[in-house]
Amino acid sequence: MDIEVKGYYLDRLFSAIQRSNKVKRHIDFFTWLQNSVAEFIPHDALLAAWGNFSDGVDIARLQYDVASNLDAFNTRAIIGASKEVNQCMAYLYELWLDNNRHFYALNNFGTSEFDCKFRKVFPELPSELNSLLVFGVSDLRGGNDCLYVFFSKYNKFQIKNTVMDFMMPHIDYVLRKIQHLAPVKTLSKISLPFNLSSLTERELEVIEWIKAGKTNQEIATILNITQNTVKSHLKRIYQKLNVGKRAQAVALLAKH
């Protein structure tokens, strides 16, 4: 820990940590990160990866969760390119091991090996992200490790050891207690009744999250769209299903 930390700074830090107690859902986690944690760990996206990193990128079955305010950088995108992302995470994992399992930063990583791998997965983000901070947690009982990767548009991460010592155990605890955003089976891959065949790919995605019991706010966060856009999708879905409200749509979709 740092030798001297001003009292008011610690007060704000402890206040941010206390707000973690109110996190019950993934949308709460995202809000807490943006409104509280970002004051101490400035970032634009948090990627969590857990599993057995030692199995190799071809057979490793890592799981992912993302809390991001960047377009096209979300859980669905990560899972869709999981093989390539596995390679990126394996590289960061090795750096973590080489650093004696202590957190580290890659500042201005544009010329690093990670950047070459990462930009191939997300070429639409050529200049969005410039630095990252990696914090690892070893689960000795479960036999798995977890990497928390904070991405930032800033060129350099300057984080106090105090912040990481105090904040990261709570981030780890909160993410472990909420349901992660797992991939869902898309309706477009199964035989659909005639009245569902006119639905767009995005509407099918919204439907799957409706069936999973997600709120409009949660769906907006998952798909990186606004709540108004979600409402517009729902309105068109109701029209195509010939129903008048959400409960009727859920009841109808439960049969398919």
Side-chain angles (χ1 to χ4, degrees), residues 6-23 31-33 35-40 162-163 166-167 170 174:
K6 294 183 179 180
Y8 76 91
Y9 183 86
L10 280 178
D11 287 342
R12 298 205 312 273
L13 179 60
F14 291 149
S15 178
I17 290 174
Q18 286 180 329
R19 296 188 192 105
S20 69
N21 295 326
K22 298 180 180 180
V23 176
T31 302
W32 177 60
L33 286 175
N35 295 338
S36 298
V37 176
E39 178 183 356
F40 304 95
T162 305
V163 169
F166 286 167
M167 186 67 77
H170 295 276
V174 169

Side-chain angles (χ1 to χ4, degrees), residues 106-139:
L106 282 184
N107 296 317
N108 293 308
F109 63 73
T111 59
S112 69
E113 180 180 340
F114 172 81
D115 182 74
C116 296
K117 298 177 182 295
F118 181 74
R119 301 300 179 184
K120 289 182 180 179
V121 183
F122 299 101
E124 68 278 14
L125 300 174
S127 60
E128 288 281 358
L129 304 173
N130 296 306
S131 62
L132 59 84
L133 180 71
V134 178
F135 185 94
V137 176
S138 294
D139 184 352

Side-chain angles (χ1 to χ4, degrees), residues 69-89:
N69 58 18
L70 298 174
D71 292 338
F73 190 71
N74 50 53
T75 303
R76 181 173 177 269
I78 292 291
I79 294 175
S82 59
K83 183 177 181 179
E84 293 79 6
V85 177
N86 282 351
Q87 297 176 5
C88 295
M89 292 301 104

Side-chain angles (χ1 to χ4, degrees), residues 49-57 62 85-102 104 106 114 132 134-139 143-149:
W50 63 95
N52 191 340
F53 291 83
S54 301
D55 281 345
V57 297
L62 299 178
V85 177
N86 282 351
Q87 297 176 5
C88 295
M89 292 301 104
Y91 174 74
L92 296 180
Y93 179 76
E94 289 300 321
L95 292 182
W96 179 62
L97 294 180
D98 292 341
N99 201 42
N100 295 318
R101 297 177 180 260
H102 190 265
Y104 67 90
L106 282 184
F114 172 81
L132 59 84
V134 178
F135 185 94
V137 176
S138 294
D139 184 352
N144 293 323
D145 292 326
C146 180
L147 285 188
Y148 293 98
V149 185

Side-chain angles (χ1 to χ4, degrees), residues 15-237:
S15 178
I17 290 174
Q18 286 180 329
R19 296 188 192 105
S20 69
N21 295 326
K22 298 180 180 180
V23 176
K24 304 298 181 183
R25 303 169 301 166
H26 201 280
I27 183 62
D28 301 328
F29 179 65
F30 174 78
T31 302
W32 177 60
L33 286 175
Q34 294 301 310
N35 295 338
S36 298
V37 176
E39 178 183 356
F40 304 95
I41 309 178
H43 66 282
D44 299 281
L46 170 60
L47 168 62
W50 63 95
N52 191 340
F53 291 83
S54 301
D55 281 345
V57 297
D58 292 331
I59 59 176
R61 294 184 178 182
L62 299 178
Q63 298 187 67
Y64 294 98
D65 203 340
V66 179
S68 167
N69 58 18
L70 298 174
D71 292 338
F73 190 71
N74 50 53
T75 303
R76 181 173 177 269
I78 292 291
I79 294 175
S82 59
K83 183 177 181 179
E84 293 79 6
V85 177
N86 282 351
Q87 297 176 5
C88 295
M89 292 301 104
Y91 174 74
L92 296 180
Y93 179 76
E94 289 300 321
L95 292 182
W96 179 62
L97 294 180
D98 292 341
N99 201 42
N100 295 318
R101 297 177 180 260
H102 190 265
F103 75 87
Y104 67 90
L106 282 184
N107 296 317
N108 293 308
F109 63 73
T111 59
S112 69
E113 180 180 340
F114 172 81
D115 182 74
C116 296
K117 298 177 182 295
F118 181 74
R119 301 300 179 184
K120 289 182 180 179
V121 183
F122 299 101
E124 68 278 14
L125 300 174
S127 60
E128 288 281 358
L129 304 173
N130 296 306
S131 62
L132 59 84
L133 180 71
V134 178
F135 185 94
V137 176
S138 294
D139 184 352
L140 298 181
R141 292 189 177 185
N144 293 323
D145 292 326
C146 180
L147 285 188
Y148 293 98
V149 185
F150 296 89
F151 292 88
S152 174
K153 295 179 182 178
Y154 295 109
N155 292 325
K156 189 176 183 179
F157 262 107
Q158 293 180 317
I159 305 297
K160 297 178 182 293
N161 287 340
T162 305
V163 169
M164 304 305 289
D165 290 340
F166 286 167
M167 186 67 77
M168 287 309 305
H170 295 276
I171 292 177
D172 180 64
Y173 170 72
V174 169
L175 194 57
R176 289 175 186 270
K177 77 174 183 177
I178 61 175
Q179 183 181 13
H180 74 283
L181 301 180
V184 296
K185 297 179 181 179
T186 174
L187 285 174
S188 60
K189 294 182 180 180
I190 63 176
S191 177
L192 299 175
F194 177 77
N195 61 343
L196 292 182
S197 61
S198 61
L199 292 168
T200 66
E201 181 178 355
R202 177 62 88 185
E203 289 167 351
L204 290 170
E205 290 177 325
V206 172
I207 284 175
E208 288 300 332
W209 291 117
I210 290 175
K211 291 173 65 178
K214 301 299 181 182
T215 66
N216 288 358
Q217 186 178 18
E218 289 174 318
I219 295 173
T221 300
I222 294 168
L223 299 181
N224 279 310
I225 57 179
T226 67
Q227 289 192 62
N228 286 335
T229 301
V230 174
K231 292 178 181 178
S232 296
H233 285 312
L234 289 174
K235 182 178 180 180
R236 288 193 294 270
I237 290 171

